[in-house]
Each structure stands twice: as C-alpha cells, then as structure tokens.
Amino acid sequence: MRKITSNIAAFFAMLIGYNSFNLYLNSTQSRPATKLMSVERNKGKDRTPHKVLAGKSRSKPESCYSSDTEPYFNRWKLRFSPPHSNCTSTGKYLFFKHIRKAGGTTLRSYFNDVFLYHGKPRGMKEYGRSRRRPSEPDAVYFVEQEFSTMDYKCPIIDPRWNNSLRIITLRHPIERHISEFFFSGPGHQFPIKRDQLYVNQTYTKELSEFLEENVPAWMERDGGKEGMVGKFNMLFGRFYVDNFQLRALAGCSSRECLEEKNFTDENILKYIQNFHPSVKSYATPVPKCTNFIQVQRTTNLLEMCSKMQKDDCSNGCDGPCFYPSVAWGEMKTKDIERAFEALKAYDVVLLMETFDEEDQSAWLSDVMGVPRDANFALHKKHASNSVVQKSNKREKTHFYR
C-alpha cells in the first residue's frame, strides 16, 4: 500500500486538522452552533492574478459577500439572497467537488432535498424549462465536478467561485482507493456479503487473500493511463490513480506551472488558454449546462453537460473551476501546498467517516439553512452507491485496513 500513501498521507493528515466542521467548533469555543458565528475566512498570501498562457487578463468582479468574514449559520441565504445582487452577473452556484467513493452520491441526494426545501427544485421538469429559458436572476445552479481536476488557483481567478457555496467531502486515502477497487476495478468479482466481514476486528482470510492477489496487479497497471490520451485533465477512467484526492485539488493552468510539469503540448496549451477565466468571459450562465437530478432516483444526475460536449456546452458543465487544468505527472511537496491552498477556500469540508454523526450533520444543516431535525438530515441518510453496508463504527472508518 506504500504507493497509495506516497504523498496523500501527509496531505490527509492536514485535511483532518482542516476539516471545516472542526474549525467551526474551535471558533465557537463550545457555544451553541445556532448562534450567529463569524470566523476568519482564508485571505490567502497571493491575491494577484497568476500568469496565463496568452491574451489579455480580465478584471475580477466583486464577490457576492463584502468582507473576509462571514457567519457559517445559514450561509445559503447569505450567499444567495439580496442584497448580494451582484451575484447575478456570473450566476449563483452550489459547487460540489465530488471525490469519488467518498459519499458523493449520498450528498447528491441530500442536496436535492436542500434545493426542494428552499423552493428551487433541480429535477427533470426544470431541465426542460432551462432548455427554453435564459438564466433567471434568482436561480441557484447545481454543479458537481467529479471526473476532472480543479485548478488550485480557481478560487482566485474564476469569478464564479465567489458567487458559489462550495462543498467537498474527503475520505481516508486507503479506504477510498480500495473502495474504488471493489466498485470499478476487479474487486467487483469478489462475492462480498453485506453482513459483517470482520473476525476479531480483522479481515476474513478469504478477503485478505483476494486483496493480496489482486490489488498490487491493479495498481501496477499504473491506472491504465494509456486510455487517457487526449483527456489530460480527466482523473477517472475506472482504473487506479495514485494520490487521487491530491490530484483532484492540485491542478494547474498557468504556463509556469505547466512548464514545471513538463507539459508542453502546444495544442493542449492553446485549448487551456481558450477556456481560461482570465481571457474568457463567464458572465452569463447556461442553465442547461448545469446539473439536474433525476426525479425517479435522486442519486442520479442528468449530466448531459459533462458527457456530451456540444456547441452550447463547449467546455462541458458550466460552473466554477470547470475550465481545463492539468494534474498528471509526479506529485511533489509543492502540489500538497497547492491542494491545501485550494481546500482552504471551500465553505464546507466534510469527512465521509463522520457522515452519521449528529454534530457534523447539525452543523451542515446550519450552513445550508435547513432544520437540523429534517427527515433528510445527513446523519439520517443511508449510504448510497455502496457495495457493502458497514455494520459498526470500526468498519465505517477502517473497513479495508
């Protein structure tokens, strides 16, 4: 398992400390979470535009919020309601960075309920309406980034970022990788039973032998990256990708960074330039190029924008950080720093291992402006898209280790 944890282990150690729920608890100093609390937002060390490939740099519009401090309580309303009328210039987005096999499908169902609670449904009916109508001033668009990397400078250079409520969920890297192995890799051949797999808090012999035989071979195929030619900013192709969560947050699009990664393909460099927010305007959202949730099964997306790039959706989904960036190559300490810089710009950083804990669930409800005791509260949600139902606390946090 050494390859899995080469860089992400150090990164994940910082993530545990940075979990935004923990930051919130520290900021309140044990005071009730329902009070209006304000915490210092990340100001960042470098707010100057970074170098782009070519072309004139666009000026950065004002943020939806006016200061570097903002309460966590009901941030949905603070971010999406008047007097922040300037939000309408670049749209308003619930931006979800979906780390694969980290509870993303469960959260998608939760977000659907949040939209319904606030009277802003994102179902098939709304999708049909979006194909005929332009963007609406009071609309909140849902965008879920799962299959591509995020430019770590996006929070600084993409004007849509400041008009968004940004959420990400993380998971222990070994647990996440082996979950991917069972979900998308050869692990699906193992007949896992949905009852408890532990014997005296360890693997069953059958499971252990299966992992020892198949996981190394899956990893040594090096992710099957030969199948990703021409998909330089894609992270997932149903294969192993080392340092997955790190790569998901440490993408780059500046010439300096790309040269550092020995990325010199002129055609791709030109492609990155064409969609870069420093040279391309994203002032008017394209509603049908955002994500909608299927009514019949709220864990599924209607995601034509991410899978069928057409003239109206030339860069796929329309939302923050969906412009191309690069995260392949060897990951170094600098990449950890970049990913951590990106992570600090999120409003909500959750840990999948604590989805069912009432404290984190109540805090998320406060941020989203919904009742803590709602029937769709996160701690009441059953895990979706899970191969195995975990039966005790240890299995939820150390299932594969």
Side-chain angles (χ1 to χ4, degrees), residues 55-203:
K56 297 180 180 180
S57 177
R58 302 187 63 86
S59 60
K60 181 182 176 182
E62 294 181 3
S63 166
C64 281
Y65 40 90
S66 58
S67 70
D68 282 336
T69 60
E70 186 182 23
Y72 272 111
F73 189 73
N74 203 354
R75 193 166 284 192
W76 173 287
K77 181 178 180 180
L78 292 170
R79 196 64 56 83
F80 297 144
S81 301
H84 303 312
S85 58
N86 57 307
C87 287
T88 58
S89 62
T90 55
K92 295 176 285 188
Y93 302 91
L94 175 61
F95 174 76
F96 175 42
K97 181 60 179 174
H98 182 167
I99 301 295
R100 284 194 51 78
K101 306 313 298 172
T105 306
T106 300
L107 269 180
R108 183 187 300 156
S109 175
Y110 173 81
F111 293 145
N112 179 65
D113 290 324
V114 170
F115 272 100
L116 291 174
Y117 177 85
H118 288 293
K120 299 181 182 296
R122 298 292 295 168
M124 294 286 285
K125 181 178 179 180
E126 287 67 40
Y127 173 73
R129 184 182 300 123
S130 76
R131 295 177 64 86
R132 298 184 296 272
R133 296 183 183 178
S135 57
E136 301 175 4
D138 63 341
V140 177
Y141 302 108
F142 178 57
V143 282
E144 178 178 315
Q145 188 185 65
E146 178 181 5
F147 299 101
S148 58
T149 187
M150 169 185 165
D151 180 10
Y152 82 101
K153 284 289 189 180
C154 174
I156 297 176
I157 65 176
D158 191 333
R160 298 167 294 181
W161 181 268
N162 285 331
N163 298 340
S164 306
L165 186 61
R166 298 86 57 158
I167 300 176
I168 186 173
T169 300
L170 302 164
R171 185 179 184 182
H172 189 284
I174 293 179
E175 298 291 312
R176 197 213 69 80
H177 272 298
I178 303 303
S179 179
E180 186 75 88
F181 167 79
F182 279 108
F183 188 81
S184 302
H188 71 274
Q189 301 170 2
F190 183 78
I192 297 180
K193 298 179 180 179
R194 290 183 179 270
D195 55 4
Q196 193 170 2
L197 289 180
Y198 275 88
V199 176
N200 297 324
Q201 294 188 332
T202 187
Y203 291 127

Side-chain angles (χ1 to χ4, degrees), residues 354-373:
T354 54
F355 267 18
D356 61 348
E357 294 186 6
E358 291 189 24
D359 283 348
Q360 180 173 252
S361 176
W363 172 74
L364 180 62
S365 295
D366 288 350
V367 174
M368 304 302 285
V370 300
R372 291 181 171 191
D373 60 353

Side-chain angles (χ1 to χ4, degrees), residues 21-75:
F21 171 56
N22 292 334
L23 283 186
Y24 174 76
L25 293 182
N26 292 336
S27 72
T28 62
Q29 297 179 343
S30 300
R31 289 174 289 179
T34 52
K35 290 185 178 180
L36 200 62
M37 300 299 175
S38 179
V39 297
E40 185 68 15
R41 294 184 56 81
N42 170 51
K43 295 182 179 180
K45 295 181 180 180
D46 180 13
R47 289 292 174 178
T48 58
H50 72 318
K51 295 179 181 178
V52 295
L53 301 176
K56 297 180 180 180
S57 177
R58 302 187 63 86
S59 60
K60 181 182 176 182
E62 294 181 3
S63 166
C64 281
Y65 40 90
S66 58
S67 70
D68 282 336
T69 60
E70 186 182 23
Y72 272 111
F73 189 73
N74 203 354
R75 193 166 284 192

Side-chain angles (χ1 to χ4, degrees), residues 218-254:
W218 178 60
M219 294 170 59
E220 288 305 317
R221 285 197 292 270
D222 199 26
K225 293 176 185 175
E226 67 279 355
M228 300 303 289
V229 175
K231 301 178 181 179
F232 61 93
N233 66 322
M234 298 294 286
L235 277 176
F236 174 69
R238 297 194 179 275
F239 49 71
Y240 169 75
V241 177
D242 68 311
N243 300 301
F244 184 92
Q245 291 173 102
L246 178 56
R247 295 183 189 278
L249 290 166
C252 63
S253 62
S254 68

Side-chain angles (χ1 to χ4, degrees), residues 263-275:
F263 208 87
T264 58
D265 188 310
E266 288 299 326
N267 290 328
I268 294 180
L269 292 176
K270 184 177 180 180
Y271 177 77
I272 294 175
Q273 173 191 328
N274 290 340
F275 290 103

